[in-house]
Amino acid sequence: MDLYERIAEAAGYIKAADPRTPRVGVVLGSGLGEFAETVADPTAMAFADIPHFKNVGVAGHAARLVLGRVGRATVAVFQGRIHYYEGHDIADVVFPVRVLAGLGGQSLLLTNAAGGLNREYRPGDMMVIRDHINLMGVNPLRGPNDDRLGPRFPDLSAVYDPAFQDVLAAGLAEIGRPAHRGVYLALSGPSYETPAEIRMMAALGADAVGMSTVPEAIAARHMGMRVAGLSCISNLAAGLAARALTHREVLETGEKVKGDFIRLLTLAIPRLAS
Ligand code: HPA
């Protein structure tokens, strides 16, 4: 079965469970999953039950798809994501985003937890992604291209939709939070970076660093979706704070910001649908 048929089968399973067409998809990052509980009229399904979905094994990630409403927008919320560092093929990492497009999704909001490189960022801040640097060492489009999904050589000169950046920045201002806009640099992980690597990445122009988002953004642009990206700065990057990094710290910051994160998404998502 080729990729196109696998997408159709997964989308068919989801449509049979709930026929609503999600306009907007949302991928929730580490420690940020609770937003899914706020979705109105929800239909939830486990990734494990959707054909061809890989399962997710990280603490802080449920593995569910929740279809429902945020305001007037019909949404598909991926509560948990498939990470490359778990050992999955990069094509499997972006499969949920491909299925979102298969369901008729037109917009995608990618969220993540990230380390802050920019000296103005503080843990708990949120950064609107304005561009990315892919240092994961892989590209989700490698391999045969199916022209029904998108072009062989997609343009990435505006991955993160400028109007969507404005929506997120305006939302941050409305909830009284600093509206940083920055460059997200993606690595494969799962080890955190060394201080020398962080100095290199800052010199390259990165404002935040993490282990996700970039593959999904590339696949979404491949299929012509409009993309928004939001990083929750969970910690200062390695060497910028006087202590070691832990996944626990990432989850704890997620816990602290979740109220504002939920407020922001509740405001912004209906605006990403119109
Ligand atoms: N580095 C990489 N990924 C991360 C970090 C970090 O400091 N914080 C949260 N995800």
Side-chain angles (χ1 to χ4, degrees):
M1 195 184 279
D2 70 12
L3 174 61
Y4 197 84
E5 290 160 350
R6 290 198 303 278
I7 295 167
E9 195 167 288
Y13 173 90
I14 296 164
K15 278 236 175 289
D18 188 328
R20 289 176 288 182
T21 298
R23 285 287 310 273
V24 185
V26 184
V27 178
L28 297 173
S30 300
L32 304 171
E34 231 176 273
F35 174 74
E37 319 296 340
T38 72
V39 169
D41 305 328
T43 304
M45 50 205 107
F47 284 2
D49 293 334
I50 305 174
H52 314 298
F53 265 54
K54 298 291 166 192
N55 217 337
V56 182
V58 198
H61 281 278
R64 298 195 307 160
L65 170 61
V66 180
L67 252 103
R69 271 189 312 102
V70 176
R72 286 166 52 195
T74 304
V75 297
V77 179
F78 296 91
Q79 190 180 21
R81 66 152 45 89
I82 298 160
H83 284 93
Y84 185 55
Y85 58 68
E86 293 173 272
H88 303 297
D89 278 358
I90 197 69
D92 291 326
V93 170
V94 302
F95 188 72
V97 166
R98 297 226 178 261
V99 172
L100 171 69
L103 289 168
Q106 295 169 356
S107 306
L108 175 64
L109 170 59
L110 295 165
T111 71
N112 61 53
L117 280 77
N118 187 310
R119 301 268 172 181
E120 290 176 12
Y121 297 0
R122 292 287 157 261
D125 283 357
M126 285 179 259
M127 180 191 90
V128 178
I129 303 178
R130 68 175 169 78
D131 204 350
H132 74 226
I133 298 173
N134 180 11
L135 288 184
M136 288 183 95
V138 287
N139 188 297
L141 309 185
R142 180 169 180 269
N145 187 61
D146 189 327
D147 294 332
R148 290 171 293 184
L149 297 176
R152 170 77 291 187
F153 300 111
D155 172 54
L156 294 186
S157 44
V159 175
Y160 303 90
D161 190 281
F164 284 3
Q165 291 180 44
D166 291 345
V167 165
L168 291 174
L172 281 166
E174 278 174 55
I175 65 168
R177 300 295 305 258
H180 306 303
R181 292 194 203 214
V183 173
Y184 176 87
L185 185 148
L187 299 168
S188 68
S191 54
Y192 291 117
E193 303 71 37
T194 65
E197 288 167 344
I198 291 299
R199 287 192 295 276
M200 175 191 77
M201 292 169 204
L204 292 176
D207 297 293
V209 60
M211 306 173 190
S212 68
T213 301
V214 161
E216 293 115 307
I218 294 172
R221 290 302 299 142
H222 180 237
M223 296 178 294
M225 276 193 272
R226 296 175 70 188
V227 177
L230 181 72
S231 290
C232 167
I233 305 299
S234 50
N235 54 277
L236 301 184
L240 300 184
R243 55 198 173 110
L245 303 185
T246 62
H247 186 57
R248 221 186 106 163
E249 182 180 359
V250 173
L251 299 184
E252 281 172 3
T253 305
E255 191 61 29
K256 278 185 210 144
V257 303
K258 81 180 180 206
D260 281 346
F261 180 78
I262 289 172
R263 264 193 290 286
L264 174 62
L265 266 58
T266 304
L267 274 176
I269 287 168
R271 300 175 191 167
L272 302 179
S274 51

